[in-house]
Amino acid sequence: MIQTVFSTLFQVVVPLSIPVIVGALLKRYRNLDTKALTMLYLYFLSPAIILETLTTAEISYDDVYMTIAFCLLNLLLLWIAAQASGKILKLPSPETAGLTLISCLTNSVNYGLPLVLLAFGKLGLDKASVYVVIQMIIVNTIGVYFAARSQFSVKNALKSVFSLPAIYTAILAVLLRTFNLHLPVGVQTGVAMVAGAYSPVVLTILGAQMVGVNNAELEQKVQTGFWMGVTIRLLVSPLIACFGLYLLNIKGILYSVLFILSSMPVAVNAVVLAERFDASPKLVSKCILWTTLASFIILPVLIAVVK
């Protein structure tokens, strides 16, 4: 077991950490501006890897249905855990909203996809593609609702979802597969080439974002929320994921991939929602920092367990 953990650490986490460290160093010493890179990631690299993966993925309709069912069940259970924790700890409304974002939104896109690719190969990436598309939709709809129920607008949430080109490429990929069509060879090669640049760029962005995350001292109530958020995201969420996977009778490589993706640290874009809707952004940003750092130790253990 220990040998497997160290093997996973060196084969998966070390390669991932190189672009993360480079991004952090560039931000710290060269004040790297990630806005242009983020635009590149959102509007070019992310659609490319989703189109490439979904059009070539070895995934069945059963996998799709099971992934959708798991995402919804897991989201419901995490929401219940966050709401119950907020009530037990008597957290104010903004901290409860922040705790809900921490519990439910995971960094499955710019950290999870490269991790799955290295840990489980192309087949794992195929299985992860549907989960990632669903998470993009959840962040821009239910995530907005969690952050600001009083200011929530279904129209604006849907507009936010359909402002992302990744959604359109996912629809295009589904249509191509449904009608057994293929992209022209030259186009497919170009898309694959762009998709290959996804991992190093998004991990560099992640490293730069980590340097900018606020690690300020927190008030007592917020500090309590922080420890509960870390506990839910790092310890409770893997247990909830296991329970959901067991209920749905999901097995094999799909089990492993969904388990790891649902055990990822807090999504970086959770703090964007927290700042926009005053859902305790200091709490959320500190949880992003520490759950991401802790994940470099915890995830190799979890990967070793499911392998």
Side-chain angles (χ1 to χ4, degrees):
M1 174 66 177
I2 295 176
Q3 184 179 358
T4 307
V5 171
F6 278 105
S7 174
T8 304
L9 183 67
F10 285 106
Q11 292 177 14
V12 177
V13 175
V14 170
L16 286 177
S17 67
I18 292 173
V20 173
I21 292 170
V22 169
L25 292 175
L26 287 173
K27 180 66 175 180
R28 176 69 176 83
Y29 295 106
R30 288 292 180 265
N31 196 28
L32 174 67
D33 186 359
T34 58
K35 287 183 179 179
L37 288 176
T38 302
M39 290 284 285
L40 182 71
Y41 146 64
L42 280 175
Y43 292 96
F44 190 39
L45 299 180
S46 182
I49 195 169
I50 287 174
L51 183 60
E52 158 72 7
T53 304
L54 288 180
T55 53
T56 62
E58 295 182 20
I59 188 167
S60 65
Y61 284 111
D62 281 345
D63 287 341
V64 174
Y65 301 145
M66 286 296 187
T67 302
I68 294 172
F70 171 75
C71 286
L72 296 177
L73 176 60
N74 194 54
L75 180 69
L76 175 63
L77 295 175
L78 288 171
W79 176 79
I80 291 172
Q83 291 297 306
S85 300
K87 289 187 182 299
I88 291 171
L89 298 175
K90 298 180 180 179
L91 296 178
S93 180
E95 278 63 46
T96 301
L99 183 60
T100 305
L101 293 175
I102 290 163
S103 303
C104 298
L105 304 186
T106 62
N107 201 347
S108 58
V109 181
N110 62 345
Y111 184 4
L113 279 183
L115 178 72
V116 165
L117 180 59
L118 281 174
F120 303 105
K122 178 64 167 61
L123 181 58
L125 185 65
D126 292 348
K127 305 295 185 185
S129 58
V130 177
Y131 181 94
V132 168
V133 171
I134 295 169
Q135 289 303 307
M136 287 181 174
I137 297 171
I138 286 174
V139 167
N140 289 282
T141 52
I142 301 174
V144 176
Y145 173 72
F146 286 159
R149 283 179 291 180
S150 61
Q151 305 173 51
F152 180 76
S153 164
V154 174
K155 180 181 177 181
N156 289 338
L158 290 175
K159 187 186 295 183
S160 178
V161 170
F162 286 98
S163 68
L164 299 173
I167 300 301
Y168 295 102
T169 54
I171 294 171
L172 174 61
V174 170
L175 291 174
L176 289 173
R177 291 192 69 128
T178 301
F179 295 103
N180 198 27
L181 300 174
H182 303 280
L183 293 172
V185 175
V187 174
Q188 185 70 51
T189 302
V191 170
M193 182 176 64
V194 175
Y198 176 89
S199 295
V201 172
V202 297
L203 289 170
T204 302
I205 294 171
L206 176 62
Q209 288 173 329
M210 294 307 299
V211 173
V213 165
N214 187 359
N215 191 31
E217 289 297 319
L218 304 178
E219 299 172 5
Q220 183 59 45
K221 280 288 184 184
V222 183
Q223 187 71 26
T224 303
F226 163 74
W227 286 113
M228 180 53 67
V230 170
T231 300
I232 290 177
R233 183 89 312 272
L234 296 179
L235 300 178
V236 177
S237 64
L239 297 176
I240 287 177
C242 280
F243 178 67
L245 292 164
Y246 171 77
L247 284 182
L248 296 171
N249 196 31
I250 297 174
K251 299 177 181 178
I253 185 76
L254 183 62
Y255 177 103
S256 301
V257 169
L258 294 180
F259 174 74
I260 294 300
L261 287 175
S262 57
S263 303
M264 298 299 295
V266 185
V268 174
N269 51 10
V271 77
V272 176
L273 292 175
E275 287 175 346
R276 181 179 174 187
F277 297 108
D278 194 26
S280 194
K282 288 184 179 180
L283 164 64
V284 176
S285 62
K286 191 166 184 177
C287 277
I288 290 170
L289 176 63
W290 288 104
T291 56
T292 302
L293 293 175
S295 72
F296 289 117
I297 298 172
I298 292 174
L299 286 175
V301 177
L302 296 181
I303 291 170
V305 168
V306 295
K307 275 188 171 181

